[in-house]
Amino acid sequence: MQGLMMKQELMISDLIEHAAKVHGSREIYTLETDRSEHTYNWGACAARTRKLANALREAGVKPGDRVATIAWNNYRHIEIYYAVSGIGAIVHTINPRLDPKQIAWMIGHAEDKFVMFDTTFGPIVDGIYDLCPTVEKWICLTDADTKPDYKAPVTDYESLIEGASDEIAWPRFDENTASALCYTSGTTGNPKGVLYSHRSTVLHAMAGAFNDVIGGGSNDTILAVVPMFHVCTWGLVYSAAMVGAKLVMPGPGLDGASLTKMIHQEGVTLMGGVPTVWLGIYNHIKQSGDNVSGVRKALVGGSALSESLLRAYELDLGIPMQQGWGMTETSPLGAAYTPYPGADLTDYEGTVKHKLLAGRRIFGIDMMIVDDEGRQLPEDGKTSGHLLAKGPWVASGYFKGEGSDAFTDDGWFRTGDVAALHPDGYLEITDRSKDVIKSGGEWVSSIEVENAACDHPHVAMAACIGLHHEKWQERPFLIVQPVPGKQPAKSEIRDCILAKCAKWWLPDAIVYRDKLPLGATGKILKRQLKEEYRDFDLEKAS
Amino acid sequence: MQGLMMKQELMISDLIEHAAKVHGSREIYTLETDRSEHTYNWGACAARTRKLANALREAGVKPGDRVATIAWNNYRHIEIYYAVSGIGAIVHTINPRLDPKQIAWMIGHAEDKFVMFDTTFGPIVDGIYDLCPTVEKWICLTDADTKPDYKAPVTDYESLIEGASDEIAWPRFDENTASALCYTSGTTGNPKGVLYSHRSTVLHAMAGAFNDVIGGGSNDTILAVVPMFHVCTWGLVYSAAMVGAKLVMPGPGLDGASLTKMIHQEGVTLMGGVPTVWLGIYNHIKQSGDNVSGVRKALVGGSALSESLLRAYELDLGIPMQQGWGMTETSPLGAAYTPYPGADLTDYEGTVKHKLLAGRRIFGIDMMIVDDEGRQLPEDGKTSGHLLAKGPWVASGYFKGEGSDAFTDDGWFRTGDVAALHPDGYLEITDRSKDVIKSGGEWVSSIEVENAACDHPHVAMAACIGLHHEKWQERPFLIVQPVPGKQPAKSEIRDCILAKCAKWWLPDAIVYRDKLPLGATGKILKRQLKEEYRDFDLEKAS
């Protein structure tokens, strides 16, 4: 028997219209690409979003068409998010830090029809426009007066929307329709496209509004440092509209000084970003003597939160940190840290380690760990296995049917993470499947060895990789990037590792290197290191 | 183009399994029907829910079958919620305060196959069992040892589930399948059934978990005073499982002393109920000197929050109150109060009136006010009109196709409330459509007149109804129930009304009455009063 409730599709356009109707006067602040400041509100944002939607339709964008962005976090980018999805087209966010050739490849693969970009990225566009035959229109996010000269044939955003109506009857359609396309960072093989739907986006934004997850409300001011090209801003742009939060969009101002100023000036209460961003703010505050009172939570994702950063924020700045776990394929919210009920939070030393877990499973996301043969492993907090995930905001496949080996026959997504699941839904990431080192039939967690090495004050970064070994199959090998001007003794680094890891995890050799190679999202390119050091002789080194 | 995200139906069984897996050790406390105390956890609850589901299937309950409950808020009732919906059957919650004949009518109308009841309501069952031909099994919520003797053929709950397995592969099916049936209080005509679906229930529970709505988290302890037979406990039983909150179920202990003890003993942080319940707790505390520290919010719904109750809680007890709006047809959450961003909450006198608004619109629920001809009225905070609502957890019709005049042709539900919509999504209920008094072409709000009259310290309750008038069509008439032993002067009551209302709203006559007639949900039966006083001569009285 069917229920008798309204069959209303979950639509992204409902988010922006809700924000306009109920939270119309709530502000959106942007540090613009030229570093001027721009403030308007959800009401004005919705009006301009409708203009853009009408203009895009007029210019020939049809349902299912892809519209790419190469842009900072700013108000026009928000309008693009809502307008493109709202008319049933697909917003494809591109990471500007990628190699221009890879960007051109992505635009071709996605068959983008329009590309909308900030002036900062004009040189990229000039370099690739004649390599992108699918693109009909290049649009820079300025008005006509401030539009730079380009080799490429470029229209400006304000001229595009100028004559368009700010009224629209948003189309309503199947909620499973694609709304956004985001490519994985692609540390192995070509990047693969994850195609979000209206349903997955709205459900994910609802979960983000849970008190235990991000938990923003109409009285919050959310600083979205996480880029809009990175997994749809972790959903912050959607959930902010849903709950009527004020948004602070830092544009190119990602340094500690700029962010600290915005936190102060705009009254930020919640903020989300990767550890390096938080480190930048912390260092700035320590140097300048600024303070950042009023922030009630800093969300950390993208890469693991270190104990030193956690302590710096919680004990020194008085800002609670919350670690979350997710990936492009999980929209990304899969787990968010909340203390265990009854935990004595006044006992900082007794609870701090627990906070370094990747988070606690969010309703909607199911998880399981399996061994190499796909057999389920116990959730005892000790056993590590390949992490599988499932849920209404988890990918079921990649764009154009690629990478189908990432999905099991019974409907799970292989995250590529190695994890331990604790009995109460807590998730502990111990490694990446491709980075885990298999020594004598047992697994060595490259991440744990790296973290332990980083406990040495003169180690800036470390990469632990497995090198081939006759007897043990693989043995750990550590590449250390020292703090500039320092040379930590290998014996001291070994002591740090022995303090936290099993003795047989100790790397057979340690080498120094000025700069570890990083990918476009700031992750160490271990694949490149494995290639470089393939013939390194572990027996001779130490 | 379709998105590439997992097509996972929203299922109520996912809620209980999530709670078991992620929050298995979190407790559920029950004050039992015999006033003994019972505590177990979400893990044990899920295991018994699976046993019940298997037992019900074994006993012949099929998808779409209705299983009724006449029961308090207790752990077995929670198991029934999840087990019945989980196997695709429909849980039909019955208000035990209804007249037994009306209960028998409802059971027949719903065609309930099983009826599960607490021993308190045994006399009802004994009185009606031979009037209920659809019922195959009467089950009392006890074990075999404590089962009372009944005239009716009654099985006990524990014997039913005893041999059943605590493992189940929950069926997955269309998320629009009916999950629960709840009849409206039916102050006009026969009660009408609202048929919730799995989708509407899960989406509604997600909205309930928003920080600005109920906002419970895994560290909260929720006291659900609102009955489980009243609009599915406002969704609290579902959202508690979703976020892993501890639940406190008061059973028959709805008096101030029992509730205060539970708040203390179990560490309640959030609680939901109707104003009379909160008044009971307040009066108990004032008499006993008990305190209730640790509660971070008391949710108020069902009927309007008075300024005196709000002040009593916020200023005297230090417990913030949050008013919400909804009805059976809206699942019920439609609006929940949050202060306007930037409001100076340290200025209590300047913000207290605003808190008496019915709430702020929640994402998912759209609202509109219209005049008698269905034309949309402005959302200016001044104009009142018939309130329409729309959204994925709003009814699209009533069980068996009844009451179709409550739905507009373009898909809105006529709430029957008269309201003003403020520009920022705030909702102000000014009357019920059937109670509003039409005098000289203008509307008089019966509720505002009643509230003003109740400002007199010797007025316990008041009902304002419209009586026929030759010249003005209708004129207001006030029936006052004085505080026992008091006789407030009519002139003083008039002064109270004049202090808050337009002069022409002043009732043409005021009469006293020891006891105003109340319906099963505690609302004044104005229809009965209109009938009784139909021939009252306004001209002669004063």
Side-chain angles (χ1 to χ4, degrees), chain A residues 147-465:
Chain A
K147 193 190 100 175
D149 290 329
Y150 293 106
K151 282 191 284 172
V154 171
T155 317
D156 72 277
Y157 185 93
E158 294 302 324
S159 301
L160 177 77
I161 70 170
E162 196 174 16
S165 164
D166 64 0
E167 290 185 15
I168 197 168
W170 291 109
R172 301 197 75 84
F173 40 79
D174 178 355
E175 66 189 17
N176 294 303
T177 301
S179 60
L181 176 64
C182 191
Y183 282 76
T184 59
S185 49
T187 47
T188 51
N190 271 326
K192 291 182 285 290
V194 176
L195 198 59
Y196 305 108
S197 71
H198 286 254
R199 174 181 165 103
S200 74
T201 302
V202 173
L203 289 175
H204 176 264
M206 291 181 84
F210 290 179
N211 201 18
D212 276 353
V213 185
I214 296 168
S218 58
N219 283 265
D220 277 308
T221 296
I222 301 177
L223 170 63
V225 194
V226 52
M228 291 183 74
F229 57 76
H230 185 68
V231 209
C232 297
T233 345
W234 299 350
L236 289 174
V237 166
Y238 301 117
S239 52
M242 182 174 272
V243 303
K246 171 174 166 178
L247 264 180
V248 177
M249 306 305 271
L254 300 173
D255 56 292
S258 302
L259 292 170
T260 305
K261 182 172 172 239
M262 279 178 247
I263 292 168
H264 258 303
Q265 177 181 310
E266 301 303 318
V268 168
T269 59
L270 288 173
M271 51 195 201
V274 297
T276 47
V277 163
W278 301 145
L279 192 61
I281 292 180
Y282 181 76
N283 288 339
H284 169 76
I285 290 172
K286 289 287 105 183
Q287 282 156 23
S288 65
D290 273 353
N291 75 74
V292 281
S293 59
V295 179
R296 67 180 181 89
K297 190 158 72 175
L299 307 157
V300 188
S303 60
L305 169 63
S306 71
E307 188 174 333
S308 58
L309 186 64
L310 179 66
R311 284 178 182 273
Y313 266 68
E314 300 202 325
L315 296 180
D316 202 1
L317 302 186
I319 298 177
M321 277 203 151
Q322 179 189 34
Q323 189 163 206
W325 173 89
M327 46 213 313
T328 308
E329 292 88 339
T330 64
S331 290
L333 299 170
Y337 186 81
T338 39
Y340 192 77
D344 177 10
L345 296 175
T346 62
D347 172 17
Y348 195 81
E349 294 306 317
T351 52
V352 64
K353 298 274 178 208
H354 197 253
K355 291 182 190 166
L356 296 172
L357 294 175
R360 200 171 194 188
R361 214 175 307 168
I362 299 167
F363 172 77
I365 299 293
D366 202 3
M367 292 182 186
M368 175 160 89
I369 49 172
V370 297
D371 64 15
D372 283 339
E373 280 71 44
R375 287 176 299 230
Q376 187 169 3
L377 294 170
E379 305 195 1
D380 57 11
K382 291 171 210 143
T383 313
S384 275
H386 302 288
L387 179 67
L388 309 185
K390 189 157 81 170
W393 53 88
V394 176
S396 60
Y398 291 109
F399 193 47
K400 300 191 171 177
E402 289 161 3
S404 60
D405 55 343
F407 304 91
T408 71
D409 292 338
D410 55 346
W412 291 81
F413 165 63
R414 297 184 217 271
T415 65
D417 271 343
V418 176
L421 292 175
H422 292 248
D424 296 299
Y426 287 98
L427 170 69
E428 183 182 2
I429 302 296
T430 55
D431 215 336
R432 289 288 297 165
S433 296
K434 61 184 168 43
D435 296 335
V436 79
I437 298 160
K438 291 181 185 168
S439 181
E442 299 285 336
W443 290 4
V444 176
S445 163
S446 65
I447 291 178
E448 286 184 39
V449 174
E450 289 159 7
N451 286 345
C454 287
D455 283 349
H456 192 292
H458 297 158
V459 172
M461 243 189 273
C464 184
I465 59 176

Side-chain angles (χ1 to χ4, degrees), chain A residues 12-13 15-16 42 45 49 77-87 170 237-242:
Chain A
I12 289 173
S13 54
L15 292 167
I16 187 74
W42 283 109
C45 176
T49 296
H77 207 169
I78 297 175
E79 294 161 14
I80 298 167
Y81 261 43
Y82 284 109
V84 173
S85 300
I87 60 173
W170 291 109
V237 166
Y238 301 117
S239 52
M242 182 174 272

